[in-house]
């Protein structure tokens, strides 16, 4: 037999039972707001910057930058998660049902389930209070879907999710998504140099690694063709102005950093010769896991545009 409910617990249950549905909803909303409110701001966090992030395939996601106890955080609208996978949903709940479906649901890690079920409430200037997710949640979801597809856990009707997840993963890395949102919201121009150093530290190596060419001949073929120059197959060096082109179109926009990565690479590899030359190639200071893959992807994108 259940123990008899006594004292404050009994009184609390009686009070709850007497509340109208509207009042219970109001209390629940206030509790959710309090759970997600930064302690040093005393309320629901406010978006400092707002913008639109465009992903491959014409996908548009509302995104935001805000601060939590002095730390910069980035987020996107909950319904953007559904939109990014081509699921029609005004609130994002359609995607939540898809995530919880048989097969795919078992492939979502428990910590990711927790994030998806507990969106952050954010105040915005344009649409008021909304539910959002931290920036990396999109990449984490894509990774889980891709893994589920690899393990054969998606049913035939969910194959489109794997295709879209791969598209997003190829276009965006975790280290780059923050920069994309910063650019979309206009926050980039206001970022401090120290914050960029923290954001891009995984791109940069402390020491130069052994030299290996990273620029394919096709890249230089494009430059020769665009400038209507004849290429000497026996020449070992390229025209000097090719270096400026590489800086402008490869290193400066790398990973949407607006020159931040280039600045760090120059600091690691300063000019040491009177001719203006450097001891190493700039790409020798890029990390194998994040920096070089981003560089290679960008180079081939430029080759594709110029071909």
């Amino acid at each position: 037999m259940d123990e008899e409910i006594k004292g404050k617990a009994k009184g609390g249950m009686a009070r709850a039972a007497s509340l109208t549905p509207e009042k219970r909803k109001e209390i629940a909303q206030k509790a959710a707001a309090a759970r997600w409110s930064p302690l040093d701001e005393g309320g629901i966090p406010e978006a400092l910057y707002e913008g639109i992030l465009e992903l491959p395939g014409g996908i548009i996601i509302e995104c935001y930058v805000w601060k939590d106890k002095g730390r910069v955080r980035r987020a996107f609208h909950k319904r953007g998660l559904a939109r990014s996978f081509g699921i029609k949903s005004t609130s994002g709940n359609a995607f939540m049902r898809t995530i919880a479906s048989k097969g795919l649901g078992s492939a979502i890690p428990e910590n990711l389930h927790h994030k998806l079920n507990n969106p952050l409430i954010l105040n915005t200037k344009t649409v008021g209070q909304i539910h959002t997710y931290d920036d990396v949640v999109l990449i984490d979801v894509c990774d889980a879907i891709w893994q589920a597809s690899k393990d054969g856990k998606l049913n035939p009707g969910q194959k489109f999710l794997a295709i879209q997840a791969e598209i997003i993963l190829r276009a965006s890395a975790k280290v780059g998504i923050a920069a994309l949102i910063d650019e979309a919201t206009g926050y980039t121009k206001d970022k401090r140099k120290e914050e960029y150093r923290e954001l891009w530290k995984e791109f940069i190596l402390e020491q130069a690694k052994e030299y290996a060419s990273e620029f394919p001949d096709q890249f230089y073929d494009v430059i020769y063709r665009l400038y209507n120059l004849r290429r000497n197959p026996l020449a070992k060096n390229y025209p000097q102005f090719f270096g400026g082109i590489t800086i402008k179109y490869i290193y400066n926009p790398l990973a949407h950093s607006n020159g931040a990565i280039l600045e760090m690479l120059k600091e690691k590899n300063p000019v040491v010769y009177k001719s203006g030359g450097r001891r190493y190639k700039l790409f020798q200071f890029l990390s194998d896991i994040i920096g070089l893959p981003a560089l290679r992807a960008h180079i081939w994108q430029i080759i594709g545009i110029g071909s």
Side-chain angles (χ1 to χ4, degrees):
M1 182 179 295
D2 295 338
E3 294 183 5
E4 182 182 356
I5 300 175
K6 300 179 179 180
K8 294 182 178 179
K10 184 176 181 179
M13 293 185 67
R15 177 178 177 272
S18 67
L19 294 174
T20 64
E22 291 76 14
K23 190 62 177 178
R24 284 197 294 269
K25 181 179 180 180
E26 180 185 347
I27 293 174
Q29 289 177 336
K30 289 182 178 180
R35 182 171 70 252
W36 287 109
S37 296
L39 296 178
D40 60 347
E41 295 182 14
I44 298 174
E46 299 277 348
L48 301 178
Y49 298 83
E50 304 179 25
I52 300 296
L53 173 62
E54 296 187 22
L55 294 178
I59 297 168
I60 295 176
I61 302 178
E62 302 91 341
C63 50
Y64 312 90
V65 171
W66 58 286
K67 284 192 176 183
D68 180 11
K69 302 176 184 177
R71 182 170 68 92
V72 176
R73 294 182 62 176
R74 303 161 182 86
F76 58 88
H77 202 301
K78 177 183 176 181
R79 68 187 178 195
L81 197 56
R83 189 183 298 147
S84 64
F85 289 93
I87 299 175
K88 294 182 179 180
S89 175
T90 57
S91 64
N93 291 329
F95 183 80
M96 296 300 294
R97 291 193 294 271
T98 302
I99 284 291
S101 62
K102 185 177 180 180
L104 178 55
S106 64
I108 304 297
E110 184 177 346
N111 65 329
L112 183 53
H113 266 303
H114 179 76
K115 291 179 181 178
L116 293 172
N117 290 323
N118 294 275
L120 166 73
I121 298 176
L122 192 65
N123 271 328
T124 68
K125 299 175 183 177
T126 53
V127 292
Q129 289 185 12
I130 60 170
H131 285 185
T132 66
Y133 292 121
D134 280 343
D135 50 359
V136 295
V137 168
L138 174 61
I139 301 301
D140 289 339
V141 169
C142 288
D143 185 58
I145 292 174
W146 181 83
Q147 189 62 48
S149 176
K150 185 178 178 182
D151 295 340
K153 294 183 177 181
L154 297 183
N155 62 50
Q158 295 175 333
K159 294 296 183 182
F160 75 96
L161 295 174
I163 295 174
Q164 187 60 25
E166 185 173 1
I167 291 173
I168 296 173
L169 284 173
R170 286 180 178 273
S172 310
K174 280 188 177 180
V175 73
I177 193 68
L180 289 171
I181 292 179
D182 289 349
E183 183 178 59
T185 59
Y187 180 64
T188 297
K189 61 179 177 294
D190 295 329
K191 279 188 72 68
R192 296 176 300 173
K193 179 194 259 186
E194 292 76 12
E195 291 177 352
Y196 261 126
R197 290 180 183 278
E198 182 66 22
L199 183 63
W200 301 111
K201 66 181 180 181
E202 293 184 60
F203 256 93
I204 310 299
L205 296 173
E206 290 298 323
Q207 300 294 329
K209 57 180 174 294
E210 186 176 352
Y211 174 80
S213 179
E214 286 294 340
F215 286 80
D217 285 340
Q218 292 93 322
F219 172 71
Y220 297 106
D221 287 341
V222 167
I223 301 178
Y224 276 107
R225 184 177 60 80
L226 292 178
Y227 283 86
N228 198 25
L229 299 175
R230 180 178 298 177
R231 184 169 186 177
N232 182 356
L234 301 178
K236 296 183 179 180
N237 297 318
Y238 301 107
Q240 189 172 2
F241 78 92
F242 278 27
I245 293 175
T246 303
I247 291 292
K248 182 176 180 179
Y249 294 105
I250 299 297
Y251 286 109
N252 192 68
L254 184 58
H256 301 270
S257 65
N258 295 321
I261 293 176
L262 174 61
E263 183 180 345
M264 294 174 66
L265 290 173
K266 287 181 176 180
E267 288 184 6
K268 294 291 183 182
N269 186 29
V271 172
V272 294
Y273 301 114
K274 292 182 180 180
S275 62
R278 304 175 192 275
R279 191 180 302 276
Y280 304 101
K281 301 290 185 180
L282 291 177
F283 65 76
Q284 288 180 261
F285 286 88
L286 292 175
S287 68
D288 293 315
I289 296 177
I290 297 178
L292 283 179
L295 175 70
R296 292 164 186 157
H298 187 66
I299 290 173
W300 282 105
Q301 184 180 32
I302 295 298
I303 293 173
I305 294 173
S307 299

